[in-house]
Amino acid sequence: MFELDTIAAPATPLSPAGIGIIRISGPEAVINTDKIFCGKVTLAEAKTHTIHYGKIMDGDEIVDEVLVSVMRGPHSYTGEDVTEINCHGGVLVMKKVLSLVYSLGIRPAEPGEFTKRAFLNGRLDLSQAASVMEVIEADSEAALKNSMKHLKGSFSHEIKGIRDMILHETAYIEAALDDPEHYELGTYGDKLKEKLQPVISRLQNLSLSYREGSLIHNGIRTAIVGRPNVGKSSLLNFLSRQERAIVSNIPGTTRDTLEESVRLGDLTLHLIDTAGIRRTDDTIEKIGVDRALASIDEADLILFLLDSSRSLSEDDIKLYHQVQDKQVVLLCNKSDLEFHRDIEEFCRSVNCPVVYFSTKTGEGKDELMDVITNLFFHGALAGAEDFYVSSERDKLELESASHSLELVCGSVDAGMTEDFFSIDLMDAYTSLGRILGEAVDEDLVNRIFADFCMGK
Ligand code: GDP
């Protein structure tokens, strides 16, 4: 347990609301809250995990009528004594209570400092602590489910299990080297390799899941591409269900790229509506065209639109060739109108998924969702038991651990002595430990929590 000072911060935004919560954590939390609280009980005598009605007083003046919860460490969020003052959610009233709290010598908490304390006090490991912010920021069912799994410790639990196994093997090697009479090392290397191989695959799969994890949490960067008037802005509007982009019949009216985050079922797409790409002398439009080409480069997915009611143009084909090496879905838009036979022929010739779509009727929306899920998540998002790695830091440590274990297998194959195995086993152990927050330097911990919101 770390001896730290007492900190406080609003845990809810300072904006008008039903209630506003001020969270106080640290050794002086209860004693200090008592100094401004007037209720039936003294908080210092209150049982843990109880809530008390009373008033916050500034001398003789009543500042607010409140409920105060008392949660004593170690069974609190931070692991320390915590009080939470539930005030009326008015900006002025919260500010007054806060300034009273600070006047008692309690320090304003830094963003993420409560969760950082939960980590320092061993309530959460680093990977779990980092997932707290992902839960708060989750903007899709899938992102929320995945973050909750991390927070509950599924990932950490698995990592701990692998570390225990590695430690056990290292201890066996050390014991055998110290006491060869009682420990057998004859075929040990082969047995070790057999045990390590499934672990290596699991670590590799987990690190590979980062691509999907990052798409779930950060969204799929999706460029909407097509020549003018095929319906790009209409698609953006359709998906975001608001009149965000200018829609008009005059080719070239979308002059710049527009971005919008939309949800498509369980997926989050960061849509980029590219200016109708075509050769142009108009300077403003040219900037838009350049940006559009750049956004194609950065995109994870291209929604390539054709106007299925019109004949295929040279521009359509040229543009398709520009994007065909990327992950493309061909959207034959305006499927509510009569089909042009050129389009059907073209659809048969491409080797990307084709969806017949109408921004007017909504036809094709579910199919588009299924096609994208198929392309990025092998047909389905992970079920209840599995999860995706969502932090690049975790991914790199997983790679490093699996690499170290591969070196152990290499040493077995090369007939090296067992003490060589131990070195790489311990490297893997250390890498996995860093995921949990063992032996990580303070700067890294501070960097992780600096991205948190205030009061968490
Ligand atoms: P952009 O230049 O590619 O962004 O195209 P717009 O979104 O501005 O659309 C061009 C025209 O096509 C507009 O008049 C839209 O109303 C129309 N449009 C877009 N999608 C559809 C569709 O699915 N069906 C029909 N019938 N018209 C559409």
Side-chain angles (χ1 to χ4, degrees):
M1 191 75 183
F2 283 70
E3 250 320 302
L4 296 160
D5 57 353
T6 301
I7 52 170
T12 52
L14 282 174
S15 57
I19 55 166
I21 301 175
I22 290 161
R23 179 183 269 170
I24 307 170
S25 178
E28 312 268 283
V30 181
I31 291 174
N32 272 326
T33 313
D34 252 340
K35 290 183 186 160
I36 53 168
F37 176 75
C38 176
K40 275 193 183 160
V41 294
T42 313
L43 300 175
E45 286 162 12
K47 282 189 186 156
T48 185
H49 292 79
T50 53
I51 188 157
H52 305 274
Y53 168 77
K55 296 179 182 71
I56 294 294
M57 305 294 294
D58 182 3
D60 294 335
E61 191 195 330
I62 299 174
V63 179
D64 197 13
E65 234 184 337
V66 296
L67 284 170
V68 175
S69 354
V70 176
M71 289 149 288
R72 293 182 199 280
H75 302 294
S76 68
Y77 181 67
T78 55
E80 307 170 323
D81 285 353
V82 172
T83 59
E84 283 177 4
I85 307 175
N86 294 248
C87 329
H88 285 97
V91 178
L92 186 62
V93 78
M94 278 185 77
K95 279 190 175 167
K96 280 183 109 174
V97 176
L98 256 179
S99 71
L100 261 181
V101 168
Y102 295 147
S103 74
L104 300 169
I106 295 176
R107 174 171 65 78
E110 316 255 331
E113 199 170 359
F114 293 101
T115 311
K116 182 174 160 188
R117 289 190 172 194
F119 162 64
L120 293 176
N121 290 324
R123 296 280 295 160
L124 299 169
D125 62 52
L126 196 55
S127 176
Q128 283 175 303
S131 68
V132 169
M133 208 51 213
E134 287 180 358
V135 170
I136 294 172
E137 285 175 344
D139 62 357
S140 70
E141 272 299 312
L144 181 59
K145 260 191 231 160
N146 200 48
S147 318
M148 280 309 293
K149 281 183 211 163
H150 272 262
L151 183 58
K152 281 198 213 140
S154 326
F155 177 55
S156 309
H157 183 73
E158 189 167 356
I159 297 300
K160 280 179 195 152
I162 296 175
R163 289 186 91 215
D164 285 349
M165 178 267 207
I166 293 175
L167 199 60
H168 176 83
E169 297 305 329
T170 317
Y172 185 87
I173 295 171
E174 298 302 321
L177 292 175
D178 280 352
D179 185 6
E181 281 176 24
H182 292 96
Y183 290 90
E184 175 65 58
L185 274 177
T187 56
Y188 174 76
D190 292 328
K191 283 188 199 135
L192 176 65
K193 200 175 137 188
E194 234 169 75
K195 279 189 201 164
L196 291 185
Q197 247 134 17
V199 176
I200 294 171
S201 327
R202 178 60 182 157
L203 293 176
Q204 285 172 344
N205 284 339
L206 279 172
S207 82
L208 285 174
S209 78
Y210 171 70
R211 177 169 158 73
E212 283 112 329
S214 129
L215 293 174
I216 287 177
H217 288 273
N218 305 322
I220 302 172
R221 278 188 70 83
T222 306
I224 305 177
V225 177
R227 71 182 166 84
N229 239 22
V230 290
K232 298 182 295 300
S233 310
S234 307
L235 177 67
L236 184 95
N237 287 337
F238 171 81
L239 291 172
S240 60
R241 290 203 182 80
Q242 51 191 14
E243 294 294 310
R244 168 77 171 69
I246 314 157
V247 181
S248 93
N249 263 323
I250 313 146
T253 40
T254 315
R255 294 190 164 219
D256 206 337
T257 54
L258 291 167
E259 295 200 26
E260 187 93 14
S261 281
V262 301
R263 265 198 298 278
L264 189 62
D266 254 354
L267 310 166
T268 302
L269 305 184
H270 289 304
L271 291 178
I272 310 149
D273 172 21
T274 60
I277 301 177
R278 53 175 198 164
R279 247 174 286 125
T280 174
D281 297 328
D282 179 314
T283 323
I284 302 171
E285 202 182 319
K286 187 168 182 316
I287 295 168
V289 170
D290 290 345
R291 289 206 192 157
L293 291 172
S295 65
I296 290 174
D297 270 348
E298 289 163 19
D300 303 306
L301 170 70
I302 310 285
L303 295 180
F304 182 75
L305 264 71
L306 290 176
D307 181 340
S308 56
S309 67
R310 310 189 71 174
S311 67
L312 203 66
S313 75
E314 277 291 303
D315 278 352
D316 286 323
I317 296 169
K318 262 196 208 143
L319 206 49
Y320 178 74
H321 284 141
Q322 247 173 318
V323 298
Q324 65 179 354
D325 295 332
K326 307 272 305 180
Q327 195 80 270
V328 184
V329 175
L330 174 58
L331 280 192
C332 294
N333 191 34
K334 310 195 189 181
S335 64
D336 54 296
L337 301 177
E338 202 167 320
F339 245 63
H340 197 283
R341 63 189 144 70
D342 268 9
I343 300 292
E344 269 180 290
E345 225 168 274
F346 182 69
C347 287
R348 275 196 294 273
S349 74
V350 296
N351 51 12
C352 64
V354 178
V355 176
Y356 295 94
F357 202 92
S358 167
T359 66
K360 290 263 185 258
T361 66
E363 188 200 342
K365 184 174 163 238
D366 289 345
E367 197 186 338
L368 177 63
M369 194 164 74
D370 290 346
V371 162
I372 298 175
T373 309
N374 233 335
L375 282 178
F376 291 96
F377 302 101
H378 313 289
L381 287 159
E385 28 350 289
D386 217 350
F387 48 86
Y388 301 98
V389 168
S390 52
S391 132
E392 191 173 8
R393 191 181 76 83
D394 291 352
K395 173 198 170 237
L396 294 174
E397 298 296 358
L398 288 165
E399 275 172 6
S400 151
S402 74
H403 175 68
S404 299
L405 297 184
E406 276 177 332
L407 290 179
V408 178
C409 296
S411 301
V412 172
D413 289 341
M416 315 272 269
T417 53
E418 286 77 8
D419 44 350
F420 277 96
F421 308 168
S422 305
I423 297 169
D424 295 318
L425 281 171
M426 282 322 285
D427 280 349
Y429 183 83
T430 309
S431 299
L432 296 177
R434 278 196 290 266
I435 292 177
L436 305 176
E438 269 180 25
V440 290
D441 66 44
E442 205 182 325
D443 279 357
L444 174 71
V445 174
N446 289 340
R447 234 180 303 133
I448 290 175
F449 291 105
D451 289 340
F452 271 53
C453 58
M454 186 56 87
K456 193 67 215 174

